Amino acid sequence: MAQPLVKKDDDRDDEEYSPFLGIEKGAVLQEARVFNDPQLDARRCSQVITKLLYLLNQGETFTKVEATEVFFSVTKLFQSRDIGLRRMVYLIIKELSPSADEVIIVTSSLMKDMNSKTDMYRANAIRVLCRITDGTLLTQIERYLKQAIVDKNPVVASAALVSGIHLLQTNPEIVKRWSNEVQEAVQSRAALVQFHALALLHQIRQNDRLAVSKLVTSLTRGTVRSPLAQCLLIRYTSQVIRESGNAQAGDRPFYDYLEACLRHKAEMVILEAARAITELHGVTPRELTPAITVLQLFLSSSKPVLRFAAVRTLNKVAMTHPVPVTNCNIDMESLISDQNRSIATLAITTLLKTGNESSVDRLMKQITNFMSDIADEFKIVVVEAIRSLCLKFPLKFRALMNFLSNILREEGGFEYKKAIVDSIVILIRDIPDAKESGLLHLCEFIEDCEFTYLSTQILHFLGIEGPKTSDPSKYIRYIYNRVHLENATVRASAVSTLAKFGAMVDSLKPRVFILLRRCLFDSDDEVRDRATLYLNTLGGDGSVVETDNDVKDFLFGSLDVPLVNLETSLKNYEASEEPFDINSVPKEVKSQPLAEKKAQSKKPTGLGALPTGPASTVAAYETLLSSIPEYSNFGKLFKSSAPVELTEPETEYAVNVVKHIFDSHVVFQYNCTNTIPEQLLEDVIVVVDASEAEEFSEVASRSLRSLPYDTPGQTFLAFEKPEGVPAVGKFTNLLRFIVKEVDPTTGEAEEDGVEDEYQLEDLEVVAADYILKVPVFNFKNAWDSMGADFERVDEYGLGPRENLTEAVNAVINLLGMQPCEGTEVVASNSRSHTCVLSGVYIGNVKVLVRLLFGIDSSSKEVAMKLTVRSEDGAVSDAIHEIVASG
């Protein structure tokens, strides 16, 4: 048998070595000949099987011949009466996964063991048979399995039930016939039998909500004795409560049962019930109280696992219901010194969420001593909690900012330092009084910062916020020090930051000129080039820009194109007399569609072989469309949508459509795939009924001459629409073609075909199709620079919604614009939220949107204030019209 891991020597206590280290498959297969000895050595055979199992679990692959030889040798071991060896035989047969022909050899032996008087043989034989058998053999042994489910021996019954859970995935019809026996097993007095029976019975009924509800109703009356089964029942009860859709405390079904479980004698049941209550949708403080009370008792338990489970649950509750958790603060303060650092971290972060303004200073003293004893991953959690606390109590920013500054100068990894820097940046942006002290803390940090990325990010942020402070000159020294003392990347970033100070603060411009001139002698090309560019820019000699506004727009303006697209376009640019044109860079960020990912393995040719990279897709589409004479005069392609599926998966024909938007035309590109090997399709075209799209008129179509099996092809249809107008409409699609039978042996198609058609899903052109998703990397600057000349503001009622997340997603999908700065994420149970969006409207008009949402806690009615800024008043009005009509 395998020996436990042993120490190699006493001098290296921290390393453990496996007794199987260095074993080779060939040598073990030679040893496996021991299975054929006339006089079997049970101990030696068990050791060889253990080595084989080790190789299989380490990923070693056996050839078909090797696996077959080992399997036939192992079957001879059934003649041994050694119980330990028999258990190893069961394991190796399961792992070898014999073929259907080989299974017959061991079936009789396993069925004999399944009816043995030795319970260990019976249980393991059931597990092995169910693992290696197919549906045909399963029907032969079904009677034995039903008997085993209600067997008096709990080991045998559990083996049959667990096998049923696995078989349900492959042979559900057979397993569902066992419902009566499983129902009987649920009443068993054996804890594991009841647990496995309940799990199997729920899986059998899981697709029938009414059946699950009846099951929960019958079992919550007190027939479940097993603590494990009770925990399962609590989870199923929570599922029924969620699906009931009634969040009113007085009408919530089964809440009394969950509350009664809080008084159960088993600790696991109490914890499961408390967790279930805290996770109820729309849970009230009155409903939370009993759960929090029992969790509070567990905080002082002598068992670390109970303390951890309780504080983790309370930590989650504190995110949405901090007030009820405040009753546990005294108990949690004692956990800050807990030997288990996970418990201590959770206690700290929970206290930071539930503490009041007067307790901040005391918590900071406790955390200071605590931080040096925990790993970086726990420190990051604490830093994020401190950031939230500072935003909650902005008057305490000095104490919290000093704390962040102190730990920023201590030892730590990149992710930890980045979390601190990000927190300080957020506090500077959201708390005006914290700006100057926060910027100084960041300046002091970059003096000794070892991470290039953090140094460049801090310098970039300093260039934006520093000039806006009351005394910008005090930051110049820190910035210029980076020019002398850092690597080339940081030096180049420092040069850019200096230029921004010179552009924004007139009194600093002469000093910045002097410093930039010194940078002209730097050893790095990038630093020298940036210094030269910014000197010419700030000098106003007309070579780059002409006015102060142009200077600021050049230094602070948005790039307007995604960096990934710019990078791809620069890589594809070939040096010539034609300068690189940044206007040729696609502005939309395109994620790779699932259909395109799947299609890569098919290696389509011709028109189907479109590049799949996000930046090159639009250019590839434009090249494709311009090569078709009927569409070559449509002008510049504004936008191409992601593929829209018009057929269900696994149907005879797979069709999706890409909507190409031009200024006065829309082209539908239907990507078709024939999934039937015995058919060839010819003269393929999509016939479209545009009766529900009155502003569109069909102008040109292009059919597909031939569509062989598994070879994608395209057919096109173009519509004319009013120029520059975001026309919308619904289109009915019908795939029409001639089908010819293909001889599977020769691959030749018959000469005569039959006309046929296939109904596709409807397609809609919506307002969002006329807006490009273009990100803005600093929304506030872009908003301010856009100005309020064409600003339009209005308020809208969005009706009742489940939560604010639903409302925010609905508006984002309606407008088809790019969420900025992560504002599409709504905090749980939040009653108000601000979301900012950016994009480019058809006609290349930049648009920025600010959305302010609010939800009524009782009626769930959502109100929204929409503010739009753009370069054209008509576009701002159009955005409001989209929302009003949507």
Side-chain angles (χ1 to χ4, degrees):
M1 295 289 289
Q3 301 298 318
L5 296 178
V6 294
K7 301 286 181 67
K8 187 176 180 182
D9 54 53
D10 293 331
D11 298 330
R12 302 180 68 181
D13 293 338
D14 58 333
E15 294 189 23
E16 296 183 345
Y17 293 85
S18 167
F20 305 110
L21 194 66
I23 67 172
E24 297 181 356
K25 181 178 73 171
V28 177
L29 291 175
Q30 289 292 327
E31 289 184 60
R33 294 179 178 178
V34 72
F35 301 155
N36 299 315
D37 289 350
Q39 297 295 326
L40 290 173
D41 184 341
R43 184 172 181 274
R44 189 179 174 197
C45 289
S46 294
Q47 289 177 338
V48 174
I49 292 178
T50 303
K51 291 179 181 179
L52 288 168
L53 290 170
Y54 172 80
L55 289 172
L56 287 168
N57 282 280
Q58 291 299 309
E60 188 73 54
T61 56
F62 285 36
T63 66
K64 179 67 176 175
V65 174
E66 291 169 343
T68 302
E69 289 180 356
V70 171
F71 174 75
F72 280 115
S73 299
V74 166
T75 58
K76 298 177 182 179
L77 300 180
F78 275 103
Q79 59 188 304
S80 174
R81 297 297 178 186
D82 186 271
I83 294 178
L85 177 58
R86 183 65 61 88
R87 297 179 70 180
M88 299 302 293
V89 170
Y90 292 137
L91 287 173
I92 192 66
I93 290 175
K94 283 174 62 179
E95 290 299 323
L96 286 173
S97 299
S99 65
D101 295 335
E102 297 166 346
V103 166
I104 299 173
I105 306 232
V106 292
T107 300
S108 58
S109 298
L110 290 172
M111 290 184 69
K112 182 179 177 182
D113 283 356
M114 196 166 67
N115 294 290
S116 169
K117 294 180 180 180
T118 306
D119 290 332
M120 191 279 294
Y121 286 180
R122 295 169 61 201
N124 285 308
I126 289 171
R127 290 177 184 271
V128 177
L129 263 176
C130 293
R131 173 69 178 269
I132 66 176
T133 190
D134 58 10
T136 306
L137 182 59
L138 186 60
T139 56
Q140 300 177 22
I141 64 173
E142 182 181 4
R143 177 168 60 89
Y144 299 107
L145 293 174
K146 284 184 176 182
Q147 293 173 354
I149 288 174
V150 294
D151 196 276
K152 292 181 180 179
N153 188 294
V155 177
V156 176
S158 275
L161 289 164
V162 171
S163 298
I165 292 173
H166 293 301
L167 288 170
L168 192 64
Q169 310 303 318
T170 55
N171 297 277
E173 297 81 9
I174 295 176
V175 178
K176 287 177 181 178
R177 297 202 294 259
W178 306 350
S179 292
N180 292 336
E181 287 77 14
V182 178
Q183 184 78 52
E184 185 178 341
V186 171
Q187 308 304 321
S188 172
R189 292 182 175 275
L192 273 179
V193 174
Q194 193 173 50
F195 170 66
H196 291 138
L198 179 57
L200 178 55
L201 190 60
H202 178 265
Q203 286 199 24
I204 291 173
R205 301 182 179 181
Q206 63 183 348
N207 294 323
D208 187 344
R209 289 177 56 179
L210 181 60
V212 171
S213 181
K214 287 181 178 179
L215 173 66
V216 170
T217 302
S218 63
L219 294 179
T220 51
R221 293 170 183 166
T223 57
V224 178
R225 301 178 185 85
S226 163
L228 286 169
Q230 194 86 321
C231 289
L232 265 187
L233 182 57
I234 290 171
R235 294 185 181 185
Y236 301 153
T237 303
S238 300
Q239 175 189 344
V240 172
I241 293 174
R242 284 196 303 272
E243 292 176 351
S244 68
N246 195 335
Q248 298 300 319
D251 300 328
R252 200 191 301 274
F254 303 115
Y255 174 79
D256 292 339
Y257 166 73
L258 295 179
E259 189 175 8
C261 289
L262 296 174
R263 298 183 288 275
H264 199 277
K265 60 182 179 181
E267 292 161 340
M268 69 170 76
V269 176
I270 297 173
L271 280 169
E272 191 68 35
R275 186 180 65 84
I277 290 174
T278 60
E279 292 178 354
L280 289 175
H281 178 68
V283 64
T284 64
R286 186 188 67 80
E287 292 173 322
L288 277 175
T289 300
I292 290 177
T293 301
V294 298
L295 292 172
Q296 186 175 6
L297 294 175
F298 283 146
L299 291 176
S300 55
S301 170
S302 59
K303 301 177 181 178
V305 66
L306 291 182
R307 298 198 302 274
F308 175 79
V311 74
R312 185 176 67 168
T313 305
L314 289 170
N315 184 275
K316 291 181 179 177
V317 177
M319 295 179 184
T320 54
H321 297 84
V323 176
V325 183
T326 54
N327 296 329
C328 307
N329 282 6
I330 295 176
D331 299 275
M332 280 189 285
E333 285 191 26
S334 64
L335 295 179
I336 295 177
S337 56
D338 196 286
Q339 292 182 349
N340 187 308
R341 295 289 85 185
S342 297
I343 295 174
T345 304
L346 286 167
I348 279 286
T349 54
T350 307
L351 286 168
L352 290 172
K353 293 169 185 173
T354 60
N356 53 40
E357 197 163 1
S358 60
S359 64
V360 170
D361 294 328
R362 185 178 74 255
L363 282 174
M364 287 300 102
K365 291 179 182 178
Q366 292 176 297
I367 295 174
T368 302
N369 301 325
F370 162 81
M371 291 291 281
S372 59
D373 300 330
I374 59 175
D376 278 5
E377 57 183 315
F378 295 126
K379 291 179 181 178
I380 292 173
V381 176
V382 175
V383 167
E384 291 173 348
I386 289 173
R387 180 180 69 203
S388 300
L389 185 68
C390 192
L391 295 174
K392 184 178 178 182
F393 304 118
L395 295 177
K396 288 292 182 180
F397 79 87
R398 287 186 177 83
L400 297 170
M401 188 73 81
N402 287 334
F403 174 82
L404 292 174
S405 175
N406 291 334
I407 62 175
L408 188 58
R409 289 192 287 268
E410 296 174 359
E411 293 294 324
F414 170 76
E415 293 297 335
Y416 172 48
K417 297 288 187 179
K418 182 176 181 296
I420 301 173
V421 171
D422 289 345
S423 296
I424 292 176
V425 166
I426 290 172
L427 297 182
I428 290 172
R429 284 178 174 171
D430 293 358
I431 304 175
D433 292 340
K435 179 177 290 187
E436 299 208 8
S437 61
L439 288 175
L440 282 175
H441 289 317
L442 292 178
C443 288
E444 292 168 358
F445 169 62
I446 59 173
E447 293 280 309
D448 303 308
C449 180
E450 58 184 309
F451 302 109
T452 298
Y453 174 81
L454 290 182
S455 295
T456 56
Q457 292 301 302
I458 291 172
L459 286 167
H460 173 71
F461 180 71
L462 191 61
I464 295 171
E465 299 293 335
K468 302 175 185 177
T469 58
S470 58
D471 185 11
S473 61
K474 61 185 174 185
Y475 305 109
I476 296 295
R477 174 175 62 86
Y478 295 101
I479 300 169
Y480 188 63
N481 282 345
R482 299 305 96 213
V483 176
H484 289 291
L485 305 175
E486 289 285 0
N487 58 49
T489 303
V490 178
R491 295 203 307 273
S493 182
V495 168
S496 297
T497 304
L498 279 174
K500 291 177 181 179
F501 273 77
M504 295 295 289
V505 186
D506 291 337
S507 60
L508 292 177
K509 188 174 289 188
R511 185 179 174 186
V512 168
F513 275 3
I514 295 172
L515 298 178
L516 289 177
R517 288 193 183 100
R518 293 177 183 174
C519 298
L520 295 174
F521 303 100
D522 193 275
S523 60
D524 183 72
D525 291 342
E526 174 75 11
V527 176
R528 294 197 304 273
D529 289 348
R530 288 197 185 195
T532 302
L533 172 65
Y534 293 137
L535 280 170
N536 290 336
T537 303
L538 295 173
D541 59 0
S543 59
V544 179
V545 291
E546 295 181 355
T547 66
D548 287 343
N549 287 334
D550 290 332
V551 171
K552 293 174 183 177
D553 186 59
F554 176 72
L555 290 172
F556 296 98
S558 173
L559 190 58
D560 283 345
V561 293
L563 292 178
V564 63
N565 293 6
L566 178 61
E567 180 184 8
T568 304
S569 297
L570 287 170
K571 286 180 179 178
N572 295 335
Y573 172 70
E574 296 181 2
S576 64
E577 295 182 0
E578 288 285 332
F580 177 78
D581 184 6
I582 197 168
N583 293 321
S584 66
V585 179
K587 294 184 178 181
E588 186 172 20
V589 180
K590 271 193 171 289
S591 58
Q592 188 174 5
L594 181 61
E596 289 184 13
K597 293 178 182 177
K598 290 181 178 178
Q600 286 178 358
S601 61
K602 298 182 179 180
K603 299 180 181 178
T605 57
L607 295 180
L610 291 175
T612 55
S616 60
T617 305
V618 174
Y621 280 140
E622 192 162 21
T623 302
L624 169 64
L625 294 170
S626 62
S627 67
I628 301 174
E630 296 92 333
Y631 312 145
S632 58
N633 61 346
F634 285 179
K636 185 174 178 58
L637 177 64
F638 173 69
K639 176 183 178 179
S640 295
S641 73
V644 180
E645 297 297 333
L646 299 182
T647 56
E648 295 292 332
E650 310 302 329
T651 54
E652 300 96 320
Y653 313 110
V655 180
N656 64 53
V657 61
V658 177
K659 295 176 279 187
H660 300 296
I661 308 298
F662 293 86
D663 192 43
S664 57
H665 294 85
V666 174
V667 177
F668 296 151
Q669 174 186 327
Y670 295 94
N671 302 308
C672 309
T673 304
N674 172 18
T675 62
I676 304 177
E678 299 82 11
Q679 289 186 359
L680 170 68
L681 306 186
E682 293 186 348
D683 296 333
V684 181
I685 192 168
V686 177
V687 180
V688 176
D689 178 4
S691 58
E692 296 184 57
E694 297 178 355
E695 294 184 272
F696 294 84
S697 57
E698 184 176 334
V699 292
S701 63
R702 187 181 179 90
S703 62
L704 179 62
R705 179 171 299 177
S706 176
L707 187 62
Y709 165 68
D710 205 26
T711 302
Q714 287 77 34
T715 175
F716 298 85
L717 190 61
F719 287 87
E720 189 174 17
K721 68 174 188 64
E723 184 176 353
V725 174
V728 298
K730 185 177 182 180
F731 302 82
T732 302
N733 303 283
L734 182 69
L735 184 67
R736 187 170 290 169
F737 49 85
I738 296 174
V739 58
K740 293 183 176 181
E741 296 296 327
V742 175
D743 188 331
T745 56
T746 64
E748 296 293 329
E750 296 180 355
E751 291 187 6
D752 297 327
V754 178
E755 289 189 4
D756 200 357
E757 56 188 33
Y758 189 83
Q759 187 64 51
L760 305 176
E761 298 288 337
D762 292 344
L763 172 67
E764 287 190 275
V765 174
V766 297
D769 291 324
Y770 298 95
I771 303 177
L772 280 173
K773 288 185 176 181
V774 178
V776 169
F777 301 103
N778 188 324
F779 187 85
K780 185 178 184 300
N781 281 352
W783 182 265
D784 293 339
S785 62
M786 182 75 74
D789 294 342
F790 300 111
E791 181 177 285
R792 302 289 188 270
V793 184
D794 207 344
E795 296 182 356
Y796 301 89
L798 304 184
R801 301 277 177 168
E802 188 67 25
N803 49 46
L804 279 184
T805 300
E806 180 187 334
V808 171
N809 290 336
V811 177
I812 291 175
N813 292 334
L814 177 66
L815 293 177
M817 298 177 69
Q818 178 70 39
C820 302
E821 301 174 357
T823 55
E824 71 275 18
V825 179
V826 183
S828 180
N829 288 348
S830 177
R831 293 187 180 181
S832 63
H833 182 72
T834 299
C835 178
V836 292
L837 312 173
S838 66
V840 173
Y841 194 79
I842 187 168
N844 289 320
V845 181
K846 297 177 187 175
V847 186
L848 300 175
V849 167
R850 179 171 283 161
L851 305 165
L852 178 61
F853 296 88
I855 186 170
D856 186 90
S857 56
S858 56
S859 66
K860 297 293 184 180
E861 291 282 341
V862 176
M864 180 186 74
K865 180 179 180 181
L866 169 63
T867 307
V868 182
R869 287 188 179 183
S870 74
E871 299 171 330
D872 186 336
V875 172
S876 298
D877 293 333
I879 298 295
H880 277 277
E881 288 175 10
I882 293 172
V883 174
S885 60

